[in-house]
Amino acid sequence: MHSTSTPHGVKSGAVWLASAPAEVQNKFLNELGTGELLALPFLFEFWAHAHQLPPEGDWRSWVCLGGRGAGKTRAGAEWVRSQVEGSKPLDPGRAHRVALVAETLEQAREVMVFGESGILAVSPPDRRPTWIATRRMLEWPNGATAHCFSARDPERLRGPQFDAAWCDELAKWPDGAKAWDNLQFALRLGDAPRQCITTTPQNVPHLRDILAHESTVQTHAPTEANAAYLASTFLEEVERRYAGTRLGRQELDGVLLTDIDGALWTNEMVEAGRVEEAPTLDRIVVAVDPPVSEGGKADACGIVVVGAVTQGPPQEWKAYVLADASIQGASPTGWAKAALAALHEHDADRLVAEVNQGGALVETLLRQIDPSVPFKAVHASRGKAARAEPVAALYEQGRVHHLRGLGALEDEMCQMTHTGFTGKGSPDRTDALVWALTDLMIDPAKAWARPRMRAI
């Protein structure tokens, strides 16, 4: 699967024109003839965002992933136009028979065909197709047709054949794999049938399988990319409610969040502990997982700030992950300064750092910058997964909460399994989190229990 956010490597003409000086804008528009001015609104490649244009190259499936309102429907409708329209209204296009597949027939009709960004709305008058309701079909002046299908009735895709297809909100399809498979058998006309998939991502198997296929290409954009065409109050409200949450990363940023088999943390587990703010905290620590090298390709330095309320017995203690100040590619002095800045910003009680790699040099480096830093060195005697398991148990018990804005840390956590880390590189942010929660919750709970065991 290939991915790109700028399919042609350039800004759209509309972006160029909008940012040009007034005299350039006026000159451009004044030089257009009447026909060119009339045609300009329908030249989508001029107006489109980069993610709304299909990537170049040899592909079968183009997946346009995006947040809510990112312009995915417009991208799909314009792609259909580009397939069926010829140079002139009656000239044939690349495709002659198109399948329009949505979760339901009503959504296919109301969104893909009649929607504000649907096929009828974006088509120029001399090329606008006719809707034939009794056949659930669009027919263009050049004879091309598009038939509507419901993914809830995948058997209706048996029999028909097509040379192009547009699949909308595929992640919502209830029997997605079956509908998709039947559509693949139906895409058998022409030299190289293609399909466009427009969807907000959800962690469903059929979408993951499509994205993983070598003949799939992808573009992606957050909701904010299409802000000029959205009500400002809408964007303000959804960002206020969901920005910095896992749901926001999916629905606003258009990021596919996946749960790994055997993962110690899941998306649901992390989101269940989301809070808007932390209460008054008894202790705060900054934990650091130093990298063994520096530079752009080096592992990140994990720097995570966590606080805890430790009133009563340990089973009543609660922890709050306040910030992820991790830094990539910094020199030792750079990450040390970042860790100390986090310590002072959050008025933390101490800085905890793993010293397996750097030994005494880690503390020496920190004290060269701040001689009075309250410091605790920790040594890893077990593997990362083994250290993480008791911390993950705290999440299962509902005893750890996250503030917003921890997306990179949360993505990394959800790739940690009982057998190790499944992501790229090293889970430095997660390591730092584990050290922080071990210092705040795990080790003090053990110490709290010892005198009671001796008394018994």
Side-chain angles (χ1 to χ4, degrees), residues 342-354:
L343 180 84
H344 296 305
E345 179 184 351
H346 293 275
D347 195 21
D349 296 279
R350 71 178 168 193
L351 193 152
V352 178
E354 180 184 329

Side-chain angles (χ1 to χ4, degrees), residues 229-309:
Y229 300 97
L230 301 172
S232 59
T233 53
F234 161 78
L235 203 54
E236 291 170 2
E237 180 66 14
V238 294
E239 287 185 343
R240 183 185 67 80
R241 287 175 176 267
Y242 305 110
T245 69
R246 300 290 284 175
L247 183 61
R249 281 174 60 73
Q250 174 179 286
E251 300 296 322
L252 296 180
D253 297 339
V255 175
L256 179 61
L257 305 176
T258 59
D259 285 332
I260 307 298
D261 288 342
L264 296 177
W265 290 273
T266 66
N267 293 308
E268 183 179 0
M269 186 190 302
V270 172
E271 199 59 47
R274 183 81 57 195
V275 294
E276 293 298 319
E277 60 183 15
T280 301
L281 300 167
D282 297 312
R283 291 188 65 230
I284 299 174
V285 301
V286 175
V288 182
D289 181 60
V292 297
S293 58
E294 58 183 283
K297 295 184 178 180
D299 291 331
C301 175
I303 305 172
V304 176
V305 185
V306 185
V309 177

Side-chain angles (χ1 to χ4, degrees), residues 237-425:
E237 180 66 14
V238 294
E239 287 185 343
R240 183 185 67 80
R241 287 175 176 267
Y242 305 110
T245 69
R246 300 290 284 175
L247 183 61
R249 281 174 60 73
Q250 174 179 286
E251 300 296 322
L252 296 180
D253 297 339
V255 175
L256 179 61
L257 305 176
T258 59
D259 285 332
I260 307 298
D261 288 342
L264 296 177
W265 290 273
T266 66
N267 293 308
E268 183 179 0
M269 186 190 302
V270 172
E271 199 59 47
R274 183 81 57 195
V275 294
E276 293 298 319
E277 60 183 15
T280 301
L281 300 167
D282 297 312
R283 291 188 65 230
I284 299 174
V285 301
V286 175
V288 182
D289 181 60
V292 297
S293 58
E294 58 183 283
K297 295 184 178 180
D299 291 331
C301 175
I303 305 172
V304 176
V305 185
V306 185
V309 177
T310 55
Q311 303 296 320
Q315 60 268 26
E316 296 179 3
W317 297 353
K318 301 281 187 179
Y320 297 82
V321 184
L322 306 176
D324 175 10
S326 301
I327 186 170
Q328 178 74 49
S331 66
T333 300
W335 62 252
K337 288 182 177 179
L340 290 167
L343 180 84
H344 296 305
E345 179 184 351
H346 293 275
D347 195 21
D349 296 279
R350 71 178 168 193
L351 193 152
V352 178
E354 180 184 329
V355 296
N356 282 52
Q357 302 294 337
L361 291 176
V362 174
E363 182 177 0
T364 301
L365 177 63
L366 290 163
R367 293 202 183 281
Q368 286 176 346
I369 303 170
D370 183 354
S372 63
V373 58
F375 178 83
K376 177 183 177 181
V378 291
H379 300 263
S381 58
R382 296 182 298 163
K384 296 178 186 293
R387 296 198 307 271
E389 286 183 0
V391 172
L394 297 175
Y395 282 79
E396 292 177 351
Q397 296 161 11
R399 296 172 56 197
V400 184
H401 302 278
H402 281 206
L403 273 65
R404 298 190 187 204
L406 301 170
L409 168 63
E410 292 164 356
D411 286 349
E412 202 176 87
M413 291 166 60
C414 292
Q415 296 179 80
M416 176 65 76
T417 73
H418 294 278
T419 57
F421 184 58
T422 63
K424 296 180 179 179

Side-chain angles (χ1 to χ4, degrees), residues 34-43 47:
T34 302
E36 292 170 322
L37 283 171
L38 292 173
L40 188 59
F42 299 100
L43 299 178
W47 300 104

